[in-house]
Amino acid sequence: MLIAHLSDLHLRDERDAVELDRQLDCIAAEPVDHLIITGDLLDRWNPPLLERALDSLGARGFLDPARVTIIHGNHDLPSSGGHPREQRDLLRLALRFWDPPPLLRRRRRRFYSLLAARSASLGIMPPFRKELGDGLTLAALDSVPFPWVPFTVNPGGITLQHARGAIPRRTLDWLAAQKSERLAVMMHHYPLDAGAFSWRYDRWHNEGSSRWLSRLARISVTVPMDVDERNRERFWAAIERSQAFAVFCGHLHRARLDHRGTVAVALNGQSGADWAGRTIAFYRIEGRSVVAEQRQLPQEVLGS
């Protein structure tokens, strides 16, 4: 079986949608059995752009639930966006960096209702399972929490919480109970140690800086990217009980095939990254083995 994998496309406007068209053309040219999109199709909540992406998928036969599975990521529902292109994007990022959980829950329902409008079984919210044929079962999980506290203040800095993953205990219990000849899991967050990235506003600090800018330059901003360690270990205990052999994920803007023991962790978070060639991952699955190939969108079709 051949599976194609896109994740973290971060569509912002028509220019990004055109690049998605080209990626889907490359996928459609291969004998792909199933396409998975593991979240962050959008850079921020934008229903018209989601409809545009669904039109692109439908034009290439990828709205049949037997051929595609789509889940949301941590960028599909919030207002802010994470990859500003215009000056107004920076303003929105500053003013709407956090949305209350009830709003995000409504948007999550709306996200899947838009998928369901194209095909009822395409719009099922995770967790759910899908039989792909050849004895292969796909279990889709929701790893995106909606925190009431968007950041914490620490000595010398702040820690933002919007990128951290979490899988509810009831979902892990559901996963542990899944039985299949060959079970693969798809989720947005990377389920191994991903660490965090941090930065300081050092560029604002110079000899002529005002006192408050100098103080701001000393503040460190930290963004954890992983699933909390205890939650992560509960996830792997559920994986062991279910005997899953592979996990497909995104979130980290990297593309590689890792392993934890005998379980393949197939990461492709570069589908929206021009610097990485807007990566498309292909996985050849034979038995319980996964062979990965990451391809860049050919340079001649990359947008400017």
Side-chain angles (χ1 to χ4, degrees):
M1 175 170 284
L2 183 63
I3 291 180
H5 181 194
L6 296 173
S7 192
D8 296 80
L9 290 139
H10 289 282
L11 302 184
R12 295 162 292 182
D13 52 31
E14 180 61 21
R15 282 174 285 179
D16 291 331
V18 168
E19 299 297 347
L20 171 62
D21 291 339
R22 292 167 175 163
Q23 288 169 303
L24 293 175
D25 286 339
C26 290
I27 293 170
E30 300 293 332
V32 168
D33 296 295
H34 202 79
L35 167 64
I36 56 174
I37 301 177
T38 55
D40 287 358
L41 177 58
L42 306 174
D43 192 54
R44 63 179 179 88
W45 178 242
N46 189 334
L49 193 55
L50 177 57
E51 296 276 21
R52 165 69 170 84
L54 295 176
D55 289 342
S56 295
L57 287 160
R60 294 157 182 85
F62 285 118
L63 281 184
D64 179 352
R67 297 199 66 202
V68 68
T69 306
I70 304 169
I71 59 173
H72 71 287
N74 65 303
H75 278 272
D76 291 300
L77 310 177
S79 304
S80 62
H83 299 80
R85 172 170 277 161
E86 309 290 345
Q87 188 171 0
R88 64 178 179 271
D89 297 332
L90 288 169
L91 183 62
R92 183 178 54 251
L93 181 59
L95 297 179
R96 303 197 64 180
F97 72 97
W98 177 75
D99 292 303
L103 175 61
L104 295 176
R105 292 189 185 98
R106 286 198 299 272
R107 287 179 175 174
R108 180 175 58 188
R109 290 193 296 269
R110 177 66 174 152
F111 181 93
Y112 287 99
S113 72
L114 290 172
L115 269 59
R118 305 302 181 105
S119 177
S121 56
L122 189 63
I124 301 172
M125 282 197 293
F128 62 84
R129 62 181 280 162
K130 178 184 289 188
E131 306 301 327
L132 300 188
D134 255 0
L136 180 61
T137 303
L138 187 63
L141 308 184
D142 181 354
S143 63
V144 182
F146 300 149
W148 277 102
V149 179
F151 62 88
T152 55
V153 179
N154 315 295
I158 63 173
T159 299
L160 304 180
Q161 301 297 333
H162 71 281
R164 172 158 273 170
I167 307 166
R169 185 178 292 274
R170 64 182 179 277
T171 298
L172 294 176
D173 291 342
W174 174 88
L175 173 61
Q178 301 305 303
K179 302 301 177 187
S180 171
E181 180 183 339
R182 293 186 298 159
L183 181 69
V185 172
M186 65 180 288
M187 57 193 287
H188 180 59
H189 286 80
Y190 179 71
L192 299 174
D193 183 12
F197 70 88
S198 61
W199 73 91
R200 293 178 184 271
Y201 293 101
D202 295 317
R203 64 185 182 278
W204 289 345
H205 181 51
N206 55 54
E207 237 177 77
S209 294
S210 66
R211 184 176 298 176
W212 74 271
L213 277 177
S214 297
R215 288 176 179 171
L216 190 60
R218 294 195 292 269
I219 294 176
S220 173
V221 179
T222 301
V223 184
M225 298 293 290
D226 55 6
V227 176
D228 173 81
E229 184 177 1
R230 291 177 64 185
N231 188 223
R232 197 165 64 233
E233 289 308 312
R234 288 194 293 267
F235 167 78
W236 284 107
I239 287 287
E240 184 175 358
R241 288 174 60 191
S242 69
Q243 300 184 345
F245 74 95
V247 180
F248 304 110
C249 58
H251 190 53
L252 300 188
H253 294 179
R254 297 292 182 268
R256 61 178 184 256
L257 182 65
D258 294 327
H259 287 84
R260 172 163 161 150
T262 60
V263 180
V265 179
L267 168 67
N268 180 30
Q270 294 182 167
S271 300
D274 276 329
W275 61 266
R278 295 183 176 266
T279 310
I280 307 164
F282 293 91
Y283 309 116
R284 177 68 64 181
I285 299 178
E286 297 182 359
R288 294 176 62 86
S289 72
V290 180
V291 178
E293 178 188 357
Q294 285 90 23
R295 299 185 200 171
Q296 295 182 343
L297 197 62
Q299 190 65 36
E300 62 270 17
V301 300
L302 273 173
S304 56

